[in-house]
Amino acid sequence: MNPLDHFLARAALAGLGVALAAAPLGCFVVWRRMAYFGDATAHASILGVALALAFSTSIWVGVLAMSMLMALTVTLLSNRGYAMDTLLGVIAHSALAIGLVAVSFLSDVRIDLMAYLFGDILAVSKFDLLIIWGGALLVIGLLLWRWRALLTSTLNPDLAYAAGFNPDREQLILTVALAIVVAVAIKVVGALLIAALLIIPAAAARALSATPEKMAALAAGIGATSALLGLVIAYQLDTPTGPTIVCVAAMIFALLNVYRLVSASKA
Amino acid sequence: MSLLSVSDLSVELAGNTILHDVALHIDRREIVTIVGPNGSGKSTLLRTIVGAIKPTAGSIKRESKLAIGYVPQHLRIDPTLPITVRRFLDLPKPVCGADAAQALKQVGTTNLESRQLTELSGGQFQRVLLARALIGKPDLLILDEATQGLDQLGSAAFYQLIDTIRNEIDCAVLMVSHELHVVMAASDRVICLNGHVCCEGHPEQVVSAPEYRALFGSGTQGALALYRHEHSHSHDADGNCE
């Protein structure tokens, strides 16, 4: 029997793929203080779901297009120097609300909505897996390819210019990567919790990291552990899978920070 | 020929003309300092020279294969970003341990490699920034307000270090500074900038130039007086000295 025929195997692979891409990207989201940016992009994806259902196209296409559009809009606005926290708050919640209202007009799909808000990892198909891993590998590849340029731009844009990098282009690459992660993560943890998979593993890894590379690798490990452990716990306790994965990540964050505090006070 | 020559340079940012018709050149082994009041476009000029800002008009000619080492004005490291001194020296290009150690030694620090950047003191941090700029064996070192946040003793030591390094590696130095008193002593040539080049020349010439006095004070209240003025007394609400 093909192991992918079992829904738990597919769910584990889906969670792993999303976590491995989201966590290192999340490090940049944390370093560059783009947390709200991730939220806005993720919330816009619900509007993408509504549009995809209305026009009977693939959910992936709708979500990717909408999150890409939102990510680019927000990048453009932030470069013009608007007060971003307020503006992102307006855009993020408006996009979510418009998406929810739009879905309600499509009477026959109301049942599906929960799956897109909170994810439905147990319903991942083989085709979904292909998309998730394709997107995840693309994001990981982008990050590896641009690593030095991204890191230099994150530290200081002028340093990047002086080294011959273009920080605007690097930001665009992060924006595109973010939109891809949102698109592939929506079936796994849902629009409301995607930002958690970006930020919590990275924040947890910070406690034990001395260099950016270690933090990214550790974040990927923490993300993957949360995904697999969360899946097992959700299966055992019959809890919703996406939120359970995020709970595990939050617990790891708390444990690592307590560990750091304790070991720092001993030193 | 000069290492770098700028001619007819104009820069507009958000519709405001920051620099117009700026011309300057830097020769090998020269220490050139740009002084000017706040908002005179000093940083903009340096950022344009390193390529961070596109000029609206004019040209910047570099000697072929000119290696520039750049020390930026601000480098605020987000506390969520862990980075050791050693790893920082690897940006933008990885370097071998010996080169890293050599650069740190050149700026007068040792055993900092495994320290986090965020744990360093202001003086150490500036020296590490300088070390990173030295790694590429620059022909031209560009420093933007490199002594910001250092006390007078610290900044005097820093300029002394720049001079030593210039003699060691034979590079030219272009820097911006507020600290007229130290700058005057440490520079071969001073350029007084206020949107355009007001005057330039040897430090003594510049101090006595009318354009310079119009910007920084006149008569006996030249550079030294300005320095004392900044640090040795205070003013009441009407601006009278106490």
Side-chain angles (χ1 to χ4, degrees):
Chain A
M1 190 183 107
N2 185 339
L4 290 185
D5 286 340
H6 198 288
F7 74 97
L8 269 181
R10 290 197 302 272
L13 277 174
L16 212 53
V18 168
L20 287 180
L25 179 65
C27 289
F28 282 103
V29 170
V30 168
W31 297 333
R32 297 168 74 104
R33 309 211 160 189
M34 293 164 65
Y36 221 136
F37 192 101
D39 260 339
T41 307
H43 288 177
S45 63
I46 287 295
L47 191 54
V49 170
L51 291 174
L53 292 172
F55 293 104
S56 326
T57 62
S58 154
I59 296 290
W60 299 110
V61 174
V63 169
L64 185 62
M66 206 55 221
S67 48
M68 198 76 86
L69 188 70
M70 177 59 95
L72 290 175
T73 308
V74 171
T75 305
L76 202 73
L77 291 176
S78 72
N79 288 347
R80 297 222 175 147
Y82 287 91
M84 280 317 286
D85 55 344
T86 305
L87 194 61
L88 278 175
V90 172
I91 295 179
H93 297 112
S94 311
L96 181 60
I98 295 168
L100 293 174
V101 170
V103 171
S104 75
F105 283 119
L106 311 161
S107 55
D108 52 330
V109 294
R110 199 165 301 176
I111 301 297
D112 279 332
L113 197 58
M114 287 299 275
Y116 295 109
L117 284 174
F118 297 108
D120 193 2
I121 196 173
L122 300 179
V124 165
S125 69
K126 285 182 194 167
F127 176 72
D128 293 339
L129 259 189
L130 199 67
I131 302 253
I132 288 171
W133 272 90
L137 289 176
L138 186 63
V139 168
I140 293 170
L142 274 175
L143 291 180
L144 286 176
W145 173 48
R146 302 305 309 167
W147 185 263
R148 284 190 299 122
L150 284 169
L151 196 57
T152 311
S153 310
T154 300
L155 273 172
N156 183 280
D158 287 349
L159 271 189
Y161 278 118
F165 300 128
N166 181 348
D168 291 341
R169 193 180 63 172
E170 305 311 327
Q171 183 174 13
L172 188 67
I173 286 172
L174 283 183
T175 304
V176 169
L178 192 63
I180 295 173
V181 163
V182 166
V184 300
I186 192 167
K187 279 212 176 170
V188 175
V189 285
L192 294 185
L193 290 174
I194 289 171
L197 273 198
L198 286 166
I199 289 159
I200 299 178
R206 174 64 185 96
L208 299 183
S209 310
T211 63
E213 289 75 16
K214 280 188 191 136
M215 178 160 154
L218 196 56
I222 292 170
T225 309
S226 310
L228 296 182
L229 203 57
L231 188 61
V232 171
I233 293 176
Y235 190 67
Q236 295 290 332
L237 301 183
D238 195 21
T239 50
T241 314
T244 309
I245 290 173
V246 174
C247 286
V248 173
M251 246 152 27
I252 295 177
F253 171 83
L255 286 176
L256 289 184
N257 275 292
V258 168
Y259 169 80
R260 186 179 64 153
L261 285 177
V262 170
S263 58
S265 66
K266 271 184 197 162
Chain B
M1 145 181 180
S2 299
L3 284 181
L4 181 111
S5 58
V6 172
S7 47
D8 302 326
L9 186 82
S10 296
V11 176
E12 270 178 37
L13 292 177
N16 298 318
T17 304
I18 311 289
L19 295 170
H20 61 92
D21 306 312
V22 172
L24 62 93
H25 65 94
I26 297 139
D27 294 329
R28 209 161 268 286
R29 287 185 49 84
E30 216 185 1
I31 297 188
V32 178
T33 304
I34 302 174
V35 299
N38 283 335
S40 58
K42 302 184 298 283
S43 284
T44 304
L45 178 58
L46 289 199
R47 296 180 68 221
T48 310
I49 289 174
V50 298
I53 298 175
K54 282 209 171 60
T56 331
S59 68
I60 299 171
K61 288 205 185 79
R62 300 172 171 195
E63 196 188 71
S64 65
K65 294 192 193 148
L66 177 74
I68 290 182
Y70 177 58
V71 180
Q73 181 174 20
H74 301 290
L75 194 61
R76 202 191 57 82
I77 308 272
D78 197 279
T80 60
L81 175 56
I83 187 160
T84 57
V85 169
R86 179 66 189 85
R87 181 66 190 86
F88 179 67
L89 295 178
D90 273 338
L91 289 173
K93 278 192 207 120
V95 293
C96 71
D99 285 355
Q102 163 74 11
L104 287 174
K105 201 174 144 223
Q106 264 178 334
V107 300
T109 60
T110 42
N111 296 327
L112 284 185
E113 276 98 331
S114 59
R115 296 275 299 277
Q116 288 287 312
L117 279 189
T118 44
E119 292 170 353
L120 301 181
S121 71
Q124 285 173 328
F125 194 93
Q126 292 302 343
R127 280 161 195 262
V128 168
L129 279 182
L130 181 60
R132 195 204 67 93
L134 290 177
I135 278 178
K137 307 245 179 302
D139 307 303
L140 174 61
L141 202 52
I142 296 185
L143 302 107
D144 193 353
E145 299 270 7
T147 56
Q148 228 177 26
L150 299 189
D151 58 22
Q152 284 163 42
L153 220 58
S155 49
F158 193 82
Y159 287 116
Q160 185 62 51
L161 177 65
I162 299 279
D163 193 46
T164 312
I165 284 168
R166 187 261 309 253
N167 292 329
E168 263 173 39
I169 67 170
D170 271 347
C171 63
V173 179
L174 175 65
M175 56 187 178
V176 151
S177 184
H178 269 117
E179 292 159 304
L180 299 166
H181 57 298
V182 216
V183 159
M184 293 299 178
S187 312
D188 299 322
R189 197 148 56 85
V190 173
I191 294 174
C192 179
L193 190 78
N194 191 21
H196 62 286
V197 176
C198 299
C199 56
E200 65 169 300
H202 288 290
E204 300 83 29
Q205 288 174 343
V206 169
V207 175
S208 53
E211 295 89 346
Y212 176 87
R213 295 188 170 193
L215 280 176
F216 289 109
S218 60
T220 53
Q221 303 198 321
L224 196 59
L226 189 73
Y227 154 54
R228 286 198 182 127
H229 176 90
E230 278 179 341
H231 298 288
S232 62
H233 62 245
S234 53
H235 298 270
D236 64 21
D238 300 323
N240 298 318
C241 296
E242 286 167 358

